[in-house]
Amino acid sequence: MKRFLEKHHELAVAKVALAEAKAGELAPNIADTGYELSLLTSFFMLDEMLKRSSPPVSSLEIVPSGQTLGRRLEDTLAIRLRELVTEAGYPFEVASKGDPGTQTPQFDLTAYWPYATPPAVSAGPAVNTALRQLGRGHLIQPDVVVWRTRLAKFHRVDGGRLLTEEHEVRQLFACISGKATIRSDRSQSARYEGIVVSRWGRARAPHFVVVTAEPVPSRLGSLAWGLGEIDCVYHVDLGSLVAAVEKAEDEPLRLQPPRPSDELRELIEQARVRDLSDLFDDLFDDLGL
């Protein structure tokens, strides 16, 4: 890695790595350091992001890796989505678990309609038990939730008569899974969460999307080439990723076909992977609000 950093010493990210790390071994925390394509693409992508920011950023913050990075992604996303919802005047609430603007919402699916126990049913332990079984021993808890409070009609039977009532419910509008990277079975759990969200509701399912900073096209494809469990995969900076993959391919890498740039192009042109800037419009444009 040090040879790469010295070769590309003009990169802002490389300057940070050479200045901060012992023997120049500090890598971007989105990189799989055991996979050369991931490592190189991460360096190039972060440098592109620095150059594309407005105004251009000249320094980097050292952010811890692992779950801390993922939590920061989720909380930042929730904060920005809430700002956009407020600016648009839409009647939605947005929350993530670590977002300081979150007012202790619940994150279990069963706290929201269409997964909550219907008001005509006095108690819902059976629902919780069923969802826990579907969720491999735990209730599905999305990273970011978007919901609104509204009145909904429900029916119940009383003495041979069908009665109609209105009850206030928290309608789940969207679930967002934040995955800083896509590397393991844990990341693939987003696909399983999408299956539960789409199959277990009593009404139209909420949107279910994944937001990621993953630098390797084939790993993006492992989620994006789905069968309907996930609406779409959004990348935090798709333009920077496209440029970074092209630059990484210019390095002496041992690549198996298809070329990463070809795979990324197909994912983008098939609308399987989109830029994060598209997320707000994709969620709310068809509401007619």
Side-chain angles (χ1 to χ4, degrees):
M1 187 193 303
K2 186 173 182 180
R3 188 178 304 166
F4 167 81
L5 294 173
E6 290 173 344
K7 176 183 176 182
H8 297 282
H9 60 84
E10 78 284 355
L11 298 179
V13 182
K15 291 177 183 178
V16 172
L18 290 168
E20 298 287 342
K22 296 179 180 179
E25 292 182 354
L26 183 66
N29 50 17
I30 59 171
D32 181 347
T33 55
Y35 184 20
E36 196 173 16
L37 176 64
S38 175
L39 189 60
L40 301 190
T41 304
S42 297
F43 272 110
F44 287 129
M45 186 178 79
L46 289 180
D47 198 68
E48 286 289 325
M49 293 173 71
L50 292 176
K51 292 190 296 185
R52 290 167 183 261
S53 62
S54 182
V57 177
S58 58
S59 63
L60 289 173
E61 178 186 0
I62 305 302
V63 179
S65 59
Q67 292 186 348
T68 302
L69 179 62
R71 182 65 70 204
R72 180 170 294 197
L73 171 65
E74 298 154 13
D75 295 344
T76 301
L77 177 61
I79 291 169
R80 182 55 182 152
L81 270 179
R82 187 186 304 114
E83 291 173 349
L84 292 172
V85 165
T86 301
E87 290 171 9
Y90 292 160
F92 291 95
E93 302 289 339
V94 185
S96 68
K97 294 172 188 173
D99 171 12
T102 292
Q103 301 298 317
T104 61
Q106 293 175 291
F107 286 85
D108 290 343
L109 278 185
T110 51
Y112 300 91
W113 185 256
Y115 307 97
T117 302
V121 181
S122 58
V127 175
N128 285 339
T129 299
L131 278 176
R132 184 172 290 109
Q133 291 171 348
L134 285 172
R136 297 175 184 167
H138 65 276
L139 292 177
I140 299 297
Q141 294 188 325
D143 298 320
V144 179
V145 290
V146 182
W147 80 96
R148 62 176 171 176
T149 301
R150 71 176 187 90
L151 285 175
K153 286 185 178 180
F154 296 91
H155 301 292
R156 65 184 179 89
V157 177
D158 184 12
R161 295 179 303 151
L162 178 67
L163 303 180
T164 301
E165 303 173 342
E166 282 194 338
H167 293 271
E168 189 174 85
V169 298
R170 291 200 296 183
Q171 181 89 38
L172 188 60
F173 178 74
C175 302
I176 302 172
S177 179
K179 303 295 183 187
T181 59
I182 302 170
R183 287 197 193 116
S184 65
D185 290 343
R186 185 175 181 275
S187 293
Q188 292 294 324
S189 68
R191 186 183 301 283
Y192 182 80
E193 293 174 12
I195 292 173
V196 173
V197 167
S198 64
R199 294 183 180 178
W200 200 249
R202 301 174 180 84
R204 179 184 299 176
H207 295 281
F208 186 83
V209 304
V210 174
V211 175
T212 184
E214 172 59 47
V216 178
S218 62
R219 291 177 178 175
L220 288 171
S222 72
L223 284 183
W225 294 117
L227 297 174
E229 306 96 336
I230 297 170
D231 294 346
C232 191
V233 175
Y234 292 84
H235 196 275
V236 297
D237 194 327
L238 198 51
S240 292
L241 177 62
V242 169
V245 170
E246 293 283 350
K247 288 183 179 180
E249 287 183 344
D250 289 337
E251 299 293 318
L253 294 172
R254 295 183 296 274
L255 297 174
Q256 299 293 327
R259 289 172 61 85
S261 58
D262 292 337
E263 186 164 7
L264 182 58
R265 181 184 305 108
E266 188 174 8
L267 286 167
I268 294 170
E269 293 179 353
Q270 291 289 333
R272 297 288 185 170
V273 174
R274 291 171 61 78
D275 188 74
L276 182 55
S277 62
D278 298 317
L279 175 60
F280 181 80
D281 289 341
D282 289 351
L283 289 179
F284 297 104
D285 262 7
D286 61 350
L287 292 178
L289 295 175

